[in-house]
Amino acid sequence: MINLTINDQKTSVPAGSTVLDAAKKLNINIPTLCNHPDLCIAGNCRVCLVEQKGARTLIAACAMPVAEGMDIHTNTLKVRNARKHVVELLLSEHRSDCTKCYKNQKCELQSLANEFAFGDTIFLDLVEDHPYEIDRSSPSFMKDDSKCIRCQRCVRTCSELQYISAIAVANKGAHQKISSFHDRPMSHVVCTNCGQCVNRCPTGALVEKTYIDQVWDAIYDPEKHVVVQTAPAVRVALGEDLGYDPGERVTGKMVTALRQLGFNSVLDTDFSADLTIMEEGTELLTRLKKALVDGDKKISFPMFTSCSPGWIKFIEHKYPEFLPNLSTCKSPQQMFGALAKTYYAQKRKIDPSKIVSVSVMPCTAKKYEADRPEMRDSGYKDIDYVLTTRELAVMIKQAGINFRNLEPSHYDSIMGDSTGAAVIFGATGGVMEAALRTAYEIVTGREVPFNNLNITPVRGMEGVKEVTIKIEGCTDDWKFLEGAELKTAIAHGLTNANKIMRLVRQGKSPYHFVEIMACPGGCIGGGGQPIPTSMEIRKNRMKAIYSEDEHMILRKSHENPDVIAIYKDFLGKPNSHKAHELLHTHYVEREQY
Amino acid sequence: MENNTGLNKVDLIFEKIDPKEVLTKAFEMTNEQIIQEVLESGLKGRGGAGFPTGLKWKYTASEKDPDKYIVCNADEGEPGTFKDREILDRVSYKVYGGMAIASKAIGAKNGIVYLRGEYRFLLPQLMRELELFHKMIDEIGYDFRIRYYMGSGAYICGEESALFESIQGDRGEPRNKPPYPTTSGVFYKPTSINNVETLVTVMEIIKHGAKTYNQLGTKDSRGSKVFSVSGDTPTPGIFELELGMTVQQFVNEFGDGDTKAVQVGGASGFCVPRKKFNETIIGFEGVPTGGSMKLFNSSRSMYNVLHNYLDFFAEESCGQCTPCRVGCQQLLKGVQNVKKGDVKSTYLNELVKLAETMKVASKCGLGQSVGNAFRTIVENFREEIIY
Amino acid sequence: MYQVGNLVKELTEKHGRLRESLMPILQGIVERHSYLTDEAMVEVAKELDISAAEVYGTASFYTFLDTKVRGKYVIRICKTITCSMKGKGEIIETIEDMLKIKVGETTSDRMFSLLETNCIGWCHKAPAILINDLPYTELSPEKVVEIIKGYMHK
Ligand SMILES: Cc1cc2nc3c(=O)[nH]c(=O)nc-3n(C[C@H](O)[C@H](O)[C@H](O)COP(=O)(O)O)c2cc1C
Ligand code: SF4
Ligand code: SF4
Ligand code: SF4
Ligand code: SF4
Ligand code: FES
Ligand code: FES
């Protein structure tokens, strides 16, 4: 342990801690900007400056390792003056049109300005000296360079967490900026639209592309029947933007709020998540059968899950030779979309051209996914608008809804039923667990051999998890799997996905089935989730997801009554011709720049 | 002025020596003996920062990791400095020799020279000479290899950690310190990074002995150093001089009779006005310099000088940290507006405060030293800056 | 625009495929072709298995690793203080007149580009320029005309 004093208070912290860590321990607040708990230390914004006795310069608390006997002061005149200058300098390069800015009141720069730089600044306006551009090309997010403070959080996110580096720091000096490859539009580079950078940008420089106004227009259009679906991870995070602590479940209140907003039908992506399990589980078993029984050489393993559109775009760019290994299942959002304008329309006797299909997602990549040309199997754009969790919170505030006082209510029927298996889709390992709960039962006629159905080895925040399930006691149809060991792996965050893909490319992957989610922690850590994010926050959301599962009566996808009904009334059986038409898709090889 | 040694020309750096003899002598010493000798010589780094070379080696030597590096900083980007080019051109064998001695002292098997892109034309010759050097140490039986990395036009890459980033194939953005290079340098290995001239000086120290060497110079600035003299002077060029002279003595030798200011240490150094020539010693006790000495006569506008420097920094800052990236732009635009009369002349006082902030708040030496020239020019030539 | 062809492969054979090979490879391309095309940067990214944005980010940090079209001969005029004091302006005007281009431009036959640069380490022989790798110093308008003529006839 290292002993030091901060503002004359003694503390000791483990070696390797930073001055910032030590200050936190003493409950001393030091402002930060470039620092982010998920990312490596940058030390470039210089907002966290503090004075160290005996040092020639001020030091950056976030980047300075503690040393024995350090004597730190965080609130001297020198510190205050420097901080004020630093914030004012940032503002002088920054187009501060806060009242029009999407990040107004949610902006870290703005809060700092509020603390340190109110009133007149001595600095000259540099905004017009910079050729700032706004890139609106991505369907998922916008990049406004005039709001960027060069903290490089986005760049670190994209390289450290996502192993993509679609954006990097370019140029030097006054011309330094965050740039895609040679300033190409974000829609034309390797960006997966995962929105992890958006989630960590402290300012309005990276924000989701919002469709709030379009959704309001649809709601107020008497001609339109507006259906909304909500993804599993939204219900455990929405509360954070409405004054709740991370990890509080607000499912019932959210449903009520959606109804009050004026959606004609409030439905659940959980329904199509269960459907995904039926389709994907069947696909996996069919592939196993083809390979093991029919000796089909074209089937290669592992099979990859396909419900994360950021992951899909990643593999399309980076490992296109393995596109055949991807499950052909659409994501739950898109399955839902294809069915809303077919099955649901038929059942409710509504002209599908009058249906506006909205989804609320923890994800920015889903906005992109909805725009893919493949996603029109209903004969219409299957999903019209995708809102993030954050946008839904904005709409709830716009509507003046007093969220805390809402009575919880239930989803509407037809595509509103859910199981615990669907809910856990929101966390890394969830799809795997749900798939195993169902597939094991199909093959053996028995429940998975885990206490209370909780397949705990697939859970948790470890980057890559490996789980082997021994299949025993197969029913007659599945005898060829008797005694087989199903090898699975689970990765979340594309850097971890890349580790698995390397193995696969080297021919060293032992796996049969691999679940990959583009975002850290899975959808609970999605790019559309409330800001801020951190490991602690994601863990709380994850806990909430599993407790939601535990509280469900139905915990296995194949028991979802709406799912049973749709196979009976509409689809026939899993992987039927009709199911293929509506619920499956294909992928596109993309360039690697 | 007790420390004043006067202006004395010296011929050590370019002196012809037998490298084999010096190296053989060095390799017979233990690494502690070498470090002790260099410590005793009082040698401080010639790249500008002036850190005691022996101490740097001692720290690097004490690191456990056996994979260590000696890096020669030949990025020489400071405006007004050109002595390292001349040294490499004329006595590269002494640079290589100094690296070999350093490698022995710190326990490194590999040396790297980082040469600025502007000097690429020297590379073929330097490689030939390097081959001869490798042959020579093979003959002595010393296991050590040097390789070259080239810069490509970025002043900041002279900053040691930016230089490592550049060698590693990245943008030359300075790192957070600590850790210092001696524990985590190039390829994150313990590294001693030394200026071209520092390394040559070590050869001379080993040859002549620390006791002889530290006869030269003053208490705080031992030895001699090579000066790059340019600007308004009848005799521009490269001169090796004993440390410890006053600016006045320097101007007596190199001025054109009308010198109004000397910029000591390049754009990141200090501007000394005529009225302070007498009281200012060139060296670590006065104004330190990596060797750049620029003379300005009364026909020159110090506004133009300042503007040129600020333009340089606004371009050559790596751009990562706020005080330096934005501060340079503010200083530049600020003096432009003062000159145009768009803002009051008192605005200069605000800018001086900003320069003070840059000094204490910037991440690396570039941003920290922009204020040197700014403050000294504005303070001494205020009337030339204002409208 | 040039075709990179096998050059990137040749350079990776020579310098390796590590991140530290990036600078020598980019320098090698520029040595041959004066600047980096998007195609060349993508090729390098593929060979080194890094993102193209990072290749661009690194290249754009360095003044000499141009990503804009440049002529066969790149003339860089030092604009730092001593050269500025010692007649850099005149030299620029002379070259601009002679080649009919402004600073930052390239001749239509793609033979010459005219750029400014920071101190190139010849202040005692100012004004100084670089043409590709080679320095020319103590320039006068007459001298620079002769030098450039020499390149025209190369
Ligand atoms: C902006 C900046 C530029 C520098 N440029 C050089 C340089 O061109 N050559 C050099 O030797 N040192 C340069 N330095 C100093 C180096 O960081 C380092 O201190 C030096 O190479 C150490 O060698 P020395 O101890 O032998 O002087 C620079 C420092 C800064 C902050
Ligand atoms: S990014 Fe922040 S400071 Fe800038 S305009 Fe938006 S809210 Fe205001
Ligand atoms: S959206 Fe994801 S892939 Fe695209 S730039 Fe941001 S972090 Fe990188
Ligand atoms: S875009 Fe946002 S995260 Fe990226 S550097 Fe700019 S302000 Fe920081
Ligand atoms: S002080 Fe300037 S050069 Fe140094 S790290 Fe900061 S921006 Fe880069
Ligand atoms: S938070 Fe410490 S430098 Fe940015
Ligand atoms: S100022 Fe032009 S070469 Fe140094």
Side-chain angles (χ1 to χ4, degrees):
Chain A
M1 295 295 265
I2 308 284
N3 303 299
L4 69 161
T5 63
I6 306 183
N7 298 350
D8 301 320
Q9 300 176 54
K10 284 193 172 52
T11 186
S12 39
V13 290
S17 311
T18 62
V19 170
L20 185 64
D21 297 330
K24 272 199 190 121
K25 194 174 167 203
L26 287 170
N27 278 322
I28 293 170
N29 186 35
I30 297 174
T32 58
L33 210 40
C34 65
N35 194 57
H36 193 284
D38 290 334
L39 306 173
C40 77
I41 292 167
N44 59 32
C45 77
R46 317 305 282 179
V47 165
C48 67
L49 295 168
V50 296
E51 194 164 343
Q52 180 190 354
K53 204 164 167 204
R56 192 171 45 89
T57 63
L58 298 175
I59 59 169
C62 73
M64 178 59 81
V66 290
E68 188 64 34
M70 260 184 170
D71 184 2
I72 303 283
H73 291 269
T74 68
N75 194 22
T76 62
L77 185 64
K78 201 167 161 189
V79 168
R80 294 203 70 80
N81 286 342
R83 268 190 207 154
K84 182 171 158 67
H85 266 160
V86 167
V87 176
E88 287 184 347
L89 285 172
L90 285 173
L91 291 172
S92 74
E93 262 192 332
H94 180 91
R95 181 167 285 132
S96 302
D97 50 7
C98 297
T99 51
K100 292 194 281 180
C101 182
Y102 190 65
K103 277 301 223 16
N104 195 8
Q105 310 230 318
K106 286 169 273 184
C107 169
E108 293 179 43
L109 176 63
Q110 195 186 42
S111 334
L112 281 174
N114 202 300
E115 275 177 59
F116 295 100
F118 46 79
D120 289 339
T121 171
I122 58 144
F123 293 126
L124 302 165
D125 190 0
L126 299 172
V127 177
E128 297 314 319
D129 304 345
H130 290 273
Y132 288 137
E133 276 173 25
I134 304 181
D135 181 350
R136 296 187 167 87
S137 66
S138 157
S140 298
F141 63 94
M142 301 195 295
K143 175 171 172 284
D144 179 351
D145 292 343
S146 72
K147 301 280 167 75
C148 173
I149 53 164
R150 288 30 161 227
C151 67
Q152 305 189 19
R153 278 194 197 171
C154 53
V155 173
R156 282 176 282 150
T157 300
C158 200
S159 79
E160 290 167 29
L161 303 180
Q162 301 299 64
Y163 201 78
I164 300 164
S165 296
I167 42 179
V169 188
N171 306 334
K172 64 172 176 253
H175 303 291
Q176 188 236 36
K177 64 178 284 197
I178 309 302
S179 172
S180 58
F181 175 52
H182 216 159
D183 287 314
R184 289 189 187 182
M186 289 310 293
S187 57
H188 284 72
V189 296
V190 286
C191 171
T192 67
N193 299 302
C194 70
Q196 286 303 313
C197 54
V198 174
N199 223 304
R200 289 174 182 75
C201 177
T203 71
L206 288 168
V207 295
E208 64 264 35
K209 202 176 232 181
T210 175
Y211 297 90
I212 292 176
D213 287 343
Q214 288 88 330
V215 171
W216 279 127
D217 285 349
I219 286 174
Y220 285 114
D221 186 339
E223 293 283 291
K224 301 289 191 210
H225 180 86
V226 190
V227 299
V228 63
Q229 55 166 317
T230 64
V234 175
R235 62 205 69 184
V236 297
L238 175 68
E240 290 166 39
D241 268 357
L242 297 165
Y244 290 78
D245 285 337
E248 289 210 39
R249 295 183 278 141
V250 295
T251 319
K253 285 185 196 294
M254 174 181 73
V255 172
T256 308
L258 287 165
R259 242 177 234 124
Q260 290 192 1
L261 291 178
F263 288 102
N264 299 93
S265 194
V266 181
L267 302 173
D268 200 347
T269 315
D270 283 12
F271 157 77
S272 48
D274 280 331
L275 203 55
T276 303
I277 290 302
M278 301 306 291
E279 292 294 322
E280 201 164 85
T282 308
E283 185 184 355
L284 175 66
L285 292 173
T286 310
R287 285 195 193 205
L288 286 168
K289 185 154 191 265
K290 276 193 186 156
L292 298 176
V293 179
D294 310 342
D296 187 339
K297 292 271 181 305
K298 287 201 303 280
I299 305 288
S300 65
F301 289 96
M303 181 175 108
F304 298 112
T305 59
S306 58
C307 32
S308 168
W311 150 240
I312 299 294
K313 194 147 183 277
F314 178 81
I315 185 172
E316 286 179 330
H317 282 294
K318 299 276 187 180
Y319 294 92
E321 70 269 34
F322 296 106
L323 289 179
N325 292 45
L326 272 179
S327 160
T328 57
C329 288
K330 287 180 182 170
S331 71
Q333 160 176 284
Q334 292 304 141
M335 285 197 183
F336 191 104
L339 293 171
K341 293 187 183 180
T342 54
Y343 173 67
Y344 174 88
Q346 274 173 32
K347 279 256 172 176
R348 296 284 305 263
K349 304 200 171 47
I350 302 169
D351 175 359
S353 71
K354 299 271 189 310
I355 294 181
V356 176
S357 183
V358 176
S359 63
V360 184
M361 293 286 141
C363 180
T364 54
K366 289 253 157 49
K367 291 178 190 266
Y368 158 79
E369 184 186 34
D371 273 7
R372 287 179 71 125
E374 302 88 43
M375 300 301 170
R376 295 173 163 269
D377 288 330
S378 65
Y380 304 89
K381 191 168 183 254
D382 292 338
I383 295 287
D384 294 285
Y385 303 113
V386 179
L387 301 174
T388 58
T389 310
R390 296 191 290 268
E391 287 168 277
L392 175 58
V394 170
M395 288 182 76
I396 290 171
K397 287 183 198 160
Q398 285 177 330
I401 292 171
N402 186 338
F403 194 79
R404 251 177 214 281
N405 295 341
L406 291 179
E407 278 302 319
S409 62
H410 289 288
Y411 286 97
D412 292 325
S413 62
I414 302 187
M415 305 204 305
D417 267 339
S418 158
T419 69
V423 168
I424 58 174
F425 259 61
T428 166
V431 177
M432 183 61 73
E433 181 163 352
L436 290 175
R437 284 183 193 172
T438 289
Y440 196 89
E441 209 163 311
I442 292 177
V443 172
T444 66
R446 286 173 288 114
E447 288 191 340
V448 279
F450 286 89
N451 188 18
N452 196 20
L453 294 177
N454 295 335
I455 312 182
T456 42
V458 303
R459 298 184 182 181
M461 286 297 187
E462 213 176 308
V464 176
K465 290 164 283 190
E466 289 181 313
V467 178
T468 302
I469 305 274
K470 187 151 186 169
I471 307 175
E472 282 169 318
C474 293
T475 60
D476 290 346
D477 285 353
W478 301 97
K479 272 288 177 248
F480 68 96
L481 287 175
E482 185 61 39
E485 290 197 327
L486 185 71
K487 291 193 158 49
T488 70
I490 298 135
H492 58 115
L494 292 170
T495 299
N496 293 318
N498 193 64
K499 288 181 191 153
I500 292 191
M501 292 315 293
R502 277 229 176 106
L503 285 184
V504 173
R505 185 172 269 169
Q506 292 163 355
K508 289 187 193 153
S509 142
Y511 312 122
H512 300 105
F513 188 37
V514 174
E515 177 207 295
I516 293 182
M517 294 289 158
C519 295
C523 306
I524 48 158
Q529 293 283 54
I531 298 169
T533 184
S534 69
M535 185 58 103
E536 199 187 327
I537 291 172
R538 293 192 292 276
K539 278 187 176 157
N540 282 327
R541 292 177 190 160
M542 186 180 255
K543 235 186 259 159
I545 283 252
Y546 287 115
S547 100
E548 184 104 354
D549 170 32
E550 295 256 12
H551 283 80
M552 303 285 266
I553 299 161
L554 301 176
R555 311 246 336 262
K556 295 175 281 190
S557 297
H558 54 278
E559 291 174 350
N560 183 325
D562 274 354
V563 168
I564 296 171
I566 198 174
Y567 280 117
K568 189 160 141 280
D569 297 350
F570 188 69
L571 292 171
K573 56 183 185 25
N575 290 8
S576 69
H577 182 70
K578 184 133 206 167
H580 261 284
E581 224 172 64
L582 290 172
L583 308 183
H584 292 252
T585 186
H586 60 274
Y587 307 103
V588 193
E589 177 167 355
R590 297 176 197 275
E591 283 190 65
Q592 209 206 319
Y593 58 73
Chain B
M1 197 141 298
E2 53 190 304
N3 275 332
N4 184 355
T5 58
L7 186 136
N8 303 304
K9 293 195 177 164
V10 180
D11 181 24
L12 282 173
I13 297 292
F14 296 101
E15 172 195 38
K16 275 226 162 15
I17 60 170
D18 176 359
K20 203 166 178 176
E21 190 186 305
V22 180
L23 288 181
T24 310
K25 181 172 171 192
F27 296 154
E28 277 161 9
M29 298 162 78
T30 64
N31 75 323
E32 285 93 2
Q33 282 168 336
I34 296 176
I35 291 172
Q36 197 49 42
E37 192 74 8
V38 175
L39 275 173
E40 262 171 44
S41 75
L43 174 62
K44 291 182 182 171
R46 300 303 193 215
F51 193 81
T53 307
L55 212 50
K56 194 182 277 188
W57 291 5
K58 195 170 154 180
Y59 292 154
T60 319
S62 71
E63 287 294 322
K64 300 255 161 3
D65 192 333
D67 191 8
K68 300 179 189 179
Y69 288 86
I70 166 73
V71 174
C72 168
N73 188 341
D75 195 52
E76 188 164 62
E78 190 63 56
T81 323
F82 37 87
K83 46 114 186 161
D84 290 342
R85 173 180 48 68
E86 192 84 2
I87 294 173
L88 284 164
D89 191 11
R90 283 164 53 188
V91 290
S92 72
Y93 69 95
K94 289 167 82 170
V95 180
Y96 302 147
M99 290 175 77
I101 295 171
S103 80
K104 164 94 185 181
I106 65 176
K109 291 272 162 282
N110 290 293
I112 293 175
V113 181
Y114 183 90
L115 182 67
R116 72 186 304 219
E118 288 82 347
Y119 296 167
R120 182 178 274 277
F121 71 99
L122 280 175
L123 192 60
Q125 167 194 336
L126 292 171
M127 293 300 278
R128 279 195 304 276
E129 287 158 358
L130 179 60
E131 227 169 275
L132 296 177
F133 172 78
H134 280 156
K135 219 182 265 165
M136 178 186 74
I137 55 170
D138 284 347
E139 280 166 20
I140 302 176
Y142 184 70
D143 175 19
F144 176 61
R145 278 293 175 271
I146 293 173
R147 57 183 195 263
Y148 268 86
Y149 281 86
M150 297 300 301
S152 262
Y155 164 66
I156 187 58
C157 289
E159 195 279 341
E160 50 202 23
S161 61
L163 186 150
F164 302 147
E165 290 291 312
S166 184
I167 289 177
Q168 291 174 211
D170 227 314
R171 299 167 51 81
E173 291 183 0
R175 300 174 182 168
N176 290 304
K177 284 177 231 169
Y180 293 98
T182 49
T183 45
S184 176
V186 70
F187 307 123
Y188 308 109
K189 296 292 179 186
T191 301
S192 176
I193 175 162
N194 294 101
N195 173 257
V196 171
E197 184 185 348
T198 310
L199 292 162
V200 173
T201 307
V202 168
M203 283 288 270
E204 294 298 328
I205 290 167
I206 296 298
K207 179 175 155 65
H208 299 284
K211 293 220 165 49
T212 319
Y213 183 79
N214 70 19
Q215 297 301 306
L216 290 173
T218 66
K219 182 163 82 29
D220 291 323
S221 312
R222 295 285 178 212
S224 60
K225 106 163 275 339
V226 182
F227 288 86
S228 311
V229 183
S230 67
D232 294 315
T233 163
T235 51
I238 285 153
F239 303 89
E240 186 174 357
L241 305 171
E242 185 177 355
L243 285 167
M245 74 205 116
T246 63
V247 177
Q248 185 63 58
Q249 287 160 337
F250 179 85
V251 168
N252 293 345
E253 174 78 16
F254 295 104
D256 61 1
D258 186 25
T259 309
K260 79 166 168 190
V262 181
Q263 180 73 19
V264 183
S268 59
F270 299 81
C271 180
V272 183
R274 184 182 292 148
K275 62 175 184 284
K276 294 190 180 148
F277 285 174
N278 254 322
E279 65 194 62
T280 310
I281 289 204
I282 302 167
F284 297 107
E285 56 271 74
V287 279
T289 171
S292 172
M293 303 292 289
K294 254 185 219 287
L295 297 91
F296 301 107
N297 67 22
S298 57
S299 74
R300 305 296 175 189
S301 149
M302 294 311 283
Y303 171 79
N304 286 349
V305 174
L306 180 60
H307 189 277
N308 193 280
Y309 286 163
L310 291 174
D311 192 50
F312 172 83
F313 286 125
E315 252 176 44
E316 295 294 340
S317 150
C318 84
Q320 68 166 315
C321 81
T322 312
C324 172
R325 179 188 67 249
V326 197
C328 289
Q329 296 173 63
Q330 286 291 348
L331 293 180
L332 178 61
K333 193 167 179 171
V335 295
Q336 280 170 351
N337 282 13
V338 169
K339 188 78 192 164
K340 280 187 290 183
D342 286 354
V343 294
K344 286 205 212 97
S345 65
T346 50
Y347 190 60
L348 286 175
N349 305 343
E350 299 293 346
L351 293 179
V352 169
K353 280 187 209 151
L354 168 61
E356 279 306 308
T357 292
M358 291 168 69
K359 193 181 190 95
V360 295
S362 295
K363 184 166 172 174
C364 87
L366 189 151
Q368 289 166 9
S369 53
V370 172
N372 296 344
F374 187 84
R375 188 176 47 78
T376 48
I377 293 180
V378 166
E379 274 173 14
N380 294 304
F381 298 95
R382 198 180 172 91
E383 66 292 349
E384 293 191 34
I385 312 295
I386 59 185
Y387 173 64
Chain C
M1 293 271 267
Y2 57 86
Q3 297 298 314
V4 267
N6 287 328
L7 180 59
V8 175
K9 286 240 153 48
E10 274 168 40
L11 288 166
T12 45
E13 290 308 315
K14 185 166 165 204
H15 299 290
R17 287 184 166 73
L18 302 171
R19 179 69 197 233
E20 62 186 274
S21 322
L22 179 59
M23 291 283 286
I25 292 170
L26 295 179
Q27 287 161 348
I29 300 172
V30 168
E31 195 169 311
R32 179 88 60 92
H33 295 296
S34 298
Y35 71 104
L36 301 163
T37 57
D38 285 5
E39 185 211 354
M41 286 187 277
V42 168
E43 231 14 73
V44 174
K46 275 189 188 147
E47 284 292 325
L48 301 192
D49 194 21
I50 55 178
S51 99
E54 282 195 20
V55 174
Y56 173 70
T58 303
S60 62
F61 188 85
Y62 296 95
T63 312
F64 293 178
L65 300 178
D66 261 316
T67 54
K68 296 199 186 74
V69 179
R70 299 296 183 217
K72 186 169 175 202
Y73 301 113
V74 182
I75 307 169
R76 292 176 207 272
I77 305 188
C78 171
K79 64 167 177 176
T80 307
I81 187 66
T82 310
C83 291
S84 288
M85 283 161 38
K86 304 265 168 168
K88 159 221 141 189
E90 247 186 325
I91 303 297
I92 289 190
E93 275 166 33
T94 310
I95 302 177
E96 284 181 342
D97 273 359
M98 186 175 175
L99 298 176
K100 308 277 175 285
I101 50 171
K102 295 255 167 277
V103 171
E105 294 177 350
T106 299
T107 54
S108 54
D109 61 1
R110 295 275 169 82
M111 283 298 279
F112 292 97
S113 293
L114 179 59
L115 303 172
E116 286 183 326
T117 194
N118 286 318
C119 181
I120 57 174
W122 290 97
C123 323
H124 55 323
K125 298 187 174 175
I129 64 172
L130 285 173
I131 300 183
N132 292 352
D133 290 344
L134 290 183
Y136 296 88
T137 61
E138 294 179 298
L139 296 175
S140 62
E142 298 73 36
K143 195 167 160 190
V144 82
V145 166
E146 284 312 306
I147 291 166
I148 290 176
K149 269 195 194 146
Y151 277 91
M152 285 177 162
H153 299 128
K154 247 190 190 169

